[in-house]
Amino acid sequence: MSRRTLSIVMLTLLVLVLSGCNPQTAAPIGPDATGIWDKYLVYPLSWLIKESALILGNNYGLGILVATIIIRLIVLPLMVKQIKSSKKMQELQPEMQKIREKHKNDPQKAQQETMAIFQKNGVNPLAGCLPMLVQMPILIAFYHAIIRTSEIKSQTFLWLTLGAKDPYYILPIVAAITTYLQSKMMGQANQGNPQMQMMLVMMPLMILAIAVTLPSALSLYWVYGNLFTIVQTYFLYRDKGSKLTPKEGASK
């Protein structure tokens, strides 16, 4: 399964799971939560948001920001792995493009030679999917933490009621734009692959379609996460470039 296909499958599953959650019938979450899902994931997220908000003057929008940063720091090793994989894929694009042109009438042969290149260079094309696989359960748990915690879903932040949809669709649009920027920074637009370029557009549109139907707190979490990744990617790529410069200069 390609990374593009896996991304679409994961987003589709996310839509199906969240569409089946009814805020009116969902049981409130609290310290007495039982079961692995509620006790070890949903309630800790609910507690983290509430405690962070209280520390920051009962501001639940900032509480979600703190929770987002903590979550992103936990999954940071996977994100770094994704960025390195994306960078390596970019470096191999000229060689992969030659293979596609050489075997344009034989896709199977092109796929075999492409996989051989990956193996030779120690590249796993699905490595970039690891963060998404990890973040999907977190995103679903985040949704449960919002709709099952009255203190969170009833709070307001800027023009938003955190437990309700954005009435002006501003946050879903920002979520789509930041998703596009994040994907572009991680090199999807430069891979010379028409499918990846199509995915660069499809992903933000899918995020927009999902975000307009969900509580604004979830869109806020997504936007915060995208901004975190954009900043993180910038510094990782900049540091990598600065480390390579002296070596390149020495080789000359």
Side-chain angles (χ1 to χ4, degrees):
M1 181 182 293
S2 68
R3 180 177 172 181
R4 178 177 65 92
T5 303
L6 182 59
S7 299
I8 294 174
V9 169
M10 293 299 295
L11 285 174
T12 302
L13 289 175
L14 177 64
V15 173
L16 292 175
V17 170
L18 296 185
S19 63
C21 300
N22 188 343
Q24 304 301 324
T25 60
I29 192 74
D32 56 346
T34 58
I36 295 176
W37 176 255
D38 284 354
K39 185 175 182 180
Y40 296 106
L41 196 53
V42 178
Y43 174 67
L45 279 174
S46 172
W47 177 88
L48 178 59
I49 295 171
K50 288 191 296 181
E51 291 301 313
S52 299
L54 290 175
I55 293 173
L56 297 170
N58 208 39
N59 189 318
Y60 278 75
L62 295 181
I64 292 174
L65 173 60
V66 172
T68 304
I69 292 174
I70 292 174
I71 291 171
R72 291 295 172 137
L73 289 175
I74 292 173
V75 301
L76 183 59
L78 291 178
M79 296 300 296
V80 172
K81 187 177 182 68
Q82 179 185 22
I83 292 172
K84 289 182 177 179
S85 175
S86 177
K87 187 69 174 176
K88 191 66 177 178
M89 291 284 285
Q90 287 183 50
E91 294 172 357
L92 294 176
Q93 280 309 306
E95 194 170 351
M96 292 167 61
Q97 183 63 31
K98 291 180 181 178
I99 292 175
R100 284 193 290 267
E101 293 174 356
K102 180 180 178 181
H103 302 289
K104 59 182 177 181
N105 296 323
D106 190 352
Q108 185 174 359
K109 182 65 175 178
Q111 181 69 17
Q112 290 175 351
E113 292 198 12
T114 299
M115 294 305 298
I117 292 176
F118 290 158
Q119 292 176 0
K120 179 181 177 181
N121 292 273
V123 176
N124 182 354
L126 293 181
C129 298
L130 287 175
M132 177 172 288
L133 291 173
V134 172
Q135 289 182 57
M136 283 300 140
I138 295 175
L139 192 63
I140 296 170
F142 206 96
Y143 175 79
H144 277 264
I146 294 164
I147 66 173
R148 296 170 62 184
T149 307
S150 58
E151 298 95 324
I152 299 176
K153 67 180 181 180
S154 62
Q155 293 293 322
T156 58
F157 178 66
L158 301 176
W159 68 92
L160 307 164
T161 299
L162 295 178
K165 295 180 287 187
D166 184 344
Y168 307 113
Y169 306 112
I170 296 174
L171 210 54
I173 292 173
V174 174
I177 292 173
T178 53
T179 297
Y180 174 83
L181 294 175
Q182 171 190 321
S183 299
K184 189 168 184 179
M185 284 190 68
M186 296 181 73
Q188 291 189 19
N190 300 320
Q191 292 188 10
N193 188 329
Q195 290 184 337
M196 294 306 295
Q197 292 180 8
M198 181 178 67
M199 193 61 185
L200 184 69
V201 177
M202 284 183 59
M203 280 290 288
L205 291 178
M206 293 178 71
I207 293 300
L208 176 62
I210 295 172
V212 297
T213 66
L214 297 176
S216 55
L218 205 63
S219 296
L220 191 62
Y221 166 74
W222 192 268
V223 170
Y224 283 153
N226 283 347
L227 293 176
F228 182 94
T229 302
I230 288 171
V231 173
Q232 164 195 290
T233 304
Y234 169 77
F235 281 106
L236 285 175
Y237 270 60
R238 188 188 68 171
D239 291 345
K240 188 176 178 88
S242 63
K243 290 177 182 178
L244 289 176
T245 302
K247 184 177 179 181
E248 292 171 352
S251 66
K252 294 180 181 180

